[in-house]
């Protein structure tokens, strides 16, 4: 196992659109393991492959208190969503910046697990937020992109100070 380097804004590689995973081979399994280790160490509750410079449709997350419920989503796709919630989000690629983002309250996501089995998961609350946030990364979107231009500018200004 090894920890991976996490890309941070304004790195333009975070804007890359991830490709579907055709074959879940040993390299993919190792990457998922390393991403979980990296996420737990950060610490964070979700990490997309995009953030560790692998542009494939793979995310890991764990929103449990005990940090013992890892989820690996391969080729995830939100197939249903409902309601609205506002949650203060942060991101390992945008260190030290938090902002309220409006997202669906409930989502149904279909994906393949690490064994390639097709799964469907219904999520609400924090897990739904986390899924939407991580799936955005696979499309090259970070949570700041959901803010107004003014709020985004303020956040980026603060980020440049944080990173200075
Ligand atoms: Ni993020």
């Amino acid at each position: 196992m090894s920890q991976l380097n996490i890309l941070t804004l304004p790195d333009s590689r975070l804007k890359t659109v991830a490709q579907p995973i055709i074959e879940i081979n040993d390299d993919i399994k190792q990457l998922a393991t390393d991403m979980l280790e990296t996420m737990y160490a950060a610490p964070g509750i979700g990490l997309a492959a995009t953030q560790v410079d692998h542009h494939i449709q793979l995310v890991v997350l764990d929103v449990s208190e005990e940090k013992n419920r890892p989820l690996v989503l391969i080729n995830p796709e939100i197939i249903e969503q409902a309601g609205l919630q506002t949650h203060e989000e942060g991101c390992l690629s945008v260190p030290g910046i938090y902002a309220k983002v409006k997202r669906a309250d409930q989502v149904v996501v279909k994906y393949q697990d690490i064994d390639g089995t097709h799964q469907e998961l219904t999520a609400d609350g924090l897990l739904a937020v986390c899924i939407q946030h991580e799936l955005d990364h696979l499309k090259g979107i970070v949570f700041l992109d959901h803010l107004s231009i003014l709020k985004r500018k303020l956040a980026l200004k603060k980020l440049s100070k944080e990173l200075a």
Side-chain angles (χ1 to χ4, degrees):
M1 299 223 294
S2 56
Q3 283 188 41
L4 305 164
N5 184 43
I6 299 175
L7 303 178
T8 54
L9 282 187
D11 196 312
S12 61
R13 288 173 290 183
L14 287 165
K15 293 187 175 168
T16 312
V17 175
Q19 298 299 311
I21 293 173
I22 308 296
E23 185 201 352
I24 303 168
N25 56 26
D26 288 346
D27 287 347
I28 300 287
K29 289 179 184 179
Q30 186 61 52
L31 178 60
T33 303
D34 291 344
M35 282 171 59
L36 279 167
E37 187 188 349
T38 304
M39 177 190 79
Y40 286 126
I45 59 172
L47 188 67
T50 309
Q51 293 175 274
V52 291
D53 204 21
H54 284 78
H55 301 287
I56 53 174
Q57 292 178 14
L58 166 63
V59 309
V60 299
L61 38 115
D62 186 344
V63 299
S64 70
E65 292 275 332
E66 303 81 13
K67 301 292 162 216
N68 58 1
R69 304 188 87 178
L71 267 172
V72 177
L73 310 184
I74 292 169
N75 300 325
E77 189 187 338
I78 290 170
I79 53 172
E80 272 180 63
Q81 58 180 56
L84 199 63
Q85 63 172 322
T86 304
H87 193 270
E88 186 166 76
E89 298 186 20
C91 178
L92 296 175
S93 293
V94 196
I97 306 294
Y98 301 88
K100 285 181 180 167
V101 179
K102 271 186 205 161
R103 296 193 188 269
D105 188 40
Q106 295 155 14
V107 297
V108 180
V109 61
K110 69 169 189 179
Y111 64 98
Q112 284 168 272
D113 64 22
I114 199 68
D115 299 315
T117 307
H118 290 269
Q119 306 275 4
E120 240 177 67
L121 173 69
T122 302
D124 60 10
L126 181 60
L127 181 57
V129 168
C130 192
I131 288 169
Q132 292 170 85
H133 177 120
E134 299 313 326
L135 267 60
D136 270 358
H137 277 301
L138 300 182
K139 296 177 199 139
I141 297 167
V142 296
F143 77 104
L144 296 184
D145 296 330
H146 290 284
L147 306 181
S148 68
I149 292 171
L150 180 63
K151 281 186 181 163
R152 186 160 65 238
K153 271 190 182 160
L154 286 170
L156 288 170
K157 203 169 169 185
K158 189 165 173 230
L159 180 67
S160 66
K161 280 185 196 153
E162 293 267 337
L163 297 177

